[in-house]
Amino acid sequence: MVLARRQLFVGLALLTVLALCVGVWLANRHGRADVVTASGTIEVVESDLSPKVQGRLIALRVNDGDAVRRGEVVAVLESVDPALNVEQAAANVSSAEQQVTVAESRLAQAGENLSVE
């Protein structure tokens, strides 16, 4: 009787281990449960591009629907010499200083005209 009970217990334990192994195999035979596997083409409707520098667009090297890779040049911008921007800014500062000088002299003249009357 004790031997039959022991055999029954060992048989149930083996059956449980077998059922567990079959369950794990069934769950993993198509890959992980949290991963979806599919094939096809992804189409992007809109993509934002931003250059590292500002400039006028000279050439566009890709067309709508073309495949591109990371780092590929898709557009060419007009090259601008940064020294020109500095020279232009300096000229703008000089012009503004002259306008301040003119405004101050007109203010002084208006003050003199006011006190004379």
Side-chain angles (χ1 to χ4, degrees), residues 1-9:
M1 183 82 159
V2 173
L3 186 58
R5 201 177 254 186
R6 181 173 278 186
Q7 287 176 345
L8 181 62
F9 179 72

Side-chain angles (χ1 to χ4, degrees), residues 21-74:
C21 289
V22 169
V24 169
W25 178 76
L26 286 174
N28 289 327
R29 82 178 160 172
H30 293 297
R32 293 179 32 193
D34 60 341
V35 174
V36 176
T37 303
S39 64
T41 302
I42 297 174
E43 183 176 332
V44 177
V45 177
E46 183 176 319
S47 178
D48 294 329
L49 298 176
S50 60
K52 293 181 180 179
V53 295
Q54 65 180 353
R56 180 170 286 161
L57 183 66
I58 294 178
L60 188 60
R61 294 189 176 173
V62 294
N63 294 317
D64 189 23
D66 287 352
V68 294
R69 294 178 186 246
R70 180 183 214 152
E72 183 178 348
V73 176
V74 296

Side-chain angles (χ1 to χ4, degrees), residues 89-104:
N92 290 344
V93 168
S94 176
S95 174
E97 288 173 344
Q98 289 175 357
Q99 290 175 2
V100 167
T101 303
V102 169
E104 287 174 341

